[in-house]
Amino acid sequence: MERYHQGSLAVQERVGVRELADHVGRSIGTGIKDVAAAFLALQPHLVVGAADGAGALWASLLTGTPGFVRATGPHRMAVRGGLPAGDPLDGALATPGTRVGTLSLDPRTRRRMRLNGTLEVTAGGFAVEAAQVFANCPKYLQKRQPLELVAEGPGVVRRGGALTPDQERAVRAADTFFIATTAGDRADASHRGGMPGFVEVLSPVELSWPDYPGNAMFLTLGNLATDPRAGLLFPDWESGAVLQLSGSARTEYGPDGSRSIRFRVESVVEGLHPGRLRWSAPEYSPANPALPPHRGSTTR
């Protein structure tokens, strides 16, 4: 199995972590082990990244009673149900052969796993034939506890091509977001976390965030080096609202070895969907770096 494509290899080489990436990459497999299957069955959330019919990339959030995601074979994950009405990926998840990246994250335990592959439409939802399966470390994950499932909600409340002032405040207050990227025949969904304020709003159509040290794989940055399309998902954990952005991103390398990502907003969807899950206030990860003095938390 080819674990890395040329984009990731180029970033690993530039940063000087090729040997470490080769070692860490041994954890990437195609099979769903028993421990991974047990983990999936306990989760009430699944993040899915894919391209819509027009080619724009999005990250979406599925919510259900634990057990709605489960392994049904050594290389197959099945999902019962679907996305909320009006979600940008509704069509993609009803199209056989869609390349998808998925991320299952448990805020209760700071554990996460990624499963990327090809979508199959089923009678009750969809399934994914796995091409990549692997776990990630708990770095930058905030700990939270589930509070309640909210049955009612207006659904999609706003669409646009730029952030509103309220949406800008939500982004500045975020301690977590998810990013969908793609390259060739692969799609991927990944997590980014930090202290509130780690994502900067440079304008209503441009964001920036630091690339903190991670697992040395550089799957996300490698994808962006090959294909700049990206989709961001900002969950409001306490209300259950979601803010979805689609656009393009590029990596900027500083002379001191630092890295940051610039994201250009092209489309915005904000939703407060029925069946959403509310979570407690966070216990921040001890790995979160301190923010520069000119940046800090912004309340919603």
Side-chain angles (χ1 to χ4, degrees):
M1 179 188 64
E2 182 186 357
R3 293 181 172 88
Y4 302 123
H5 58 66
Q6 286 303 120
S8 293
L9 293 172
V11 177
Q12 293 163 10
E13 191 69 37
R14 178 167 187 167
V15 178
V17 294
R18 279 288 299 115
E19 185 176 342
L20 176 59
D22 282 342
H23 174 74
V24 176
R26 296 170 192 164
S27 65
I28 302 176
T30 60
I32 305 172
K33 297 179 180 178
D34 289 347
V35 65
F39 175 77
L40 286 174
L42 294 174
Q43 305 315 313
H45 272 168
L46 183 72
V47 176
V48 178
D52 66 14
L57 218 62
W58 297 90
S60 296
L61 183 67
L62 291 91
T63 303
T65 303
F68 87 106
V69 180
R70 68 191 194 283
T72 55
H75 305 281
R76 190 174 186 269
M77 177 183 75
V79 181
R80 185 176 65 247
L83 290 166
D87 188 278
L89 288 183
D90 193 31
L93 297 195
T95 303
T98 297
R99 304 292 185 176
V100 298
T102 75
L103 171 65
S104 186
L105 182 150
D106 189 348
R108 299 165 293 188
T109 60
R110 291 195 172 114
R111 294 173 62 200
R112 53 181 160 166
M113 67 168 284
R114 285 149 81 171
L115 187 151
N116 305 331
T118 305
L119 184 137
E120 170 194 338
V121 178
T122 64
F126 65 92
V128 180
E129 185 69 19
Q132 291 181 315
V133 183
F134 57 102
N136 284 139
C137 74
K139 258 186 173 181
Y140 319 124
L141 299 184
Q142 328 309 343
K143 184 175 281 190
R144 289 177 161 91
Q145 301 299 325
L147 296 179
E148 64 171 337
L149 199 64
V150 182
E152 302 300 323
V156 173
V157 296
R158 187 175 288 109
R159 298 179 189 268
L163 296 172
T164 67
D166 282 346
Q167 291 168 346
E168 289 185 20
R169 283 189 284 273
V171 170
R172 291 190 180 102
D175 59 51
T176 299
F177 72 91
F178 303 95
I179 178 169
T181 57
T182 188
D185 62 353
R186 300 181 182 182
D188 182 71
S190 187
H191 159 277
R192 294 293 183 270
M195 297 304 293
F198 85 108
V199 182
E200 287 190 272
V201 179
L202 305 177
S203 80
V205 293
E206 191 169 26
L207 310 180
S208 177
W209 62 88
D211 184 59
Y212 294 145
N215 56 24
M217 292 182 182
F218 288 108
L219 300 183
T220 298
L221 269 59
N223 285 350
L224 293 177
T226 304
D227 188 327
R229 290 178 295 165
L232 308 186
L233 168 66
F234 288 88
D236 182 327
W237 298 95
E238 294 178 30
S239 72
V242 290
L243 179 63
Q244 296 167 273
L245 313 179
S246 184
S248 61
R250 71 181 191 276
T251 306
E252 297 182 337
Y253 295 86
D256 58 352
S258 64
R259 299 174 300 277
S260 63
I261 312 300
R262 288 282 187 115
F263 178 81
R264 186 78 178 177
V265 178
E266 295 173 5
S267 299
V268 181
V269 177
E270 181 183 348
L272 190 67
H273 297 288
R276 67 191 182 276
L277 185 60
R278 294 180 58 249
W279 295 77
S280 68
E283 177 186 327
Y284 293 119
S285 168
N288 289 348
L291 297 179
H294 68 284
R295 306 235 303 272
S297 173
T298 303
T299 56
R300 297 183 189 274

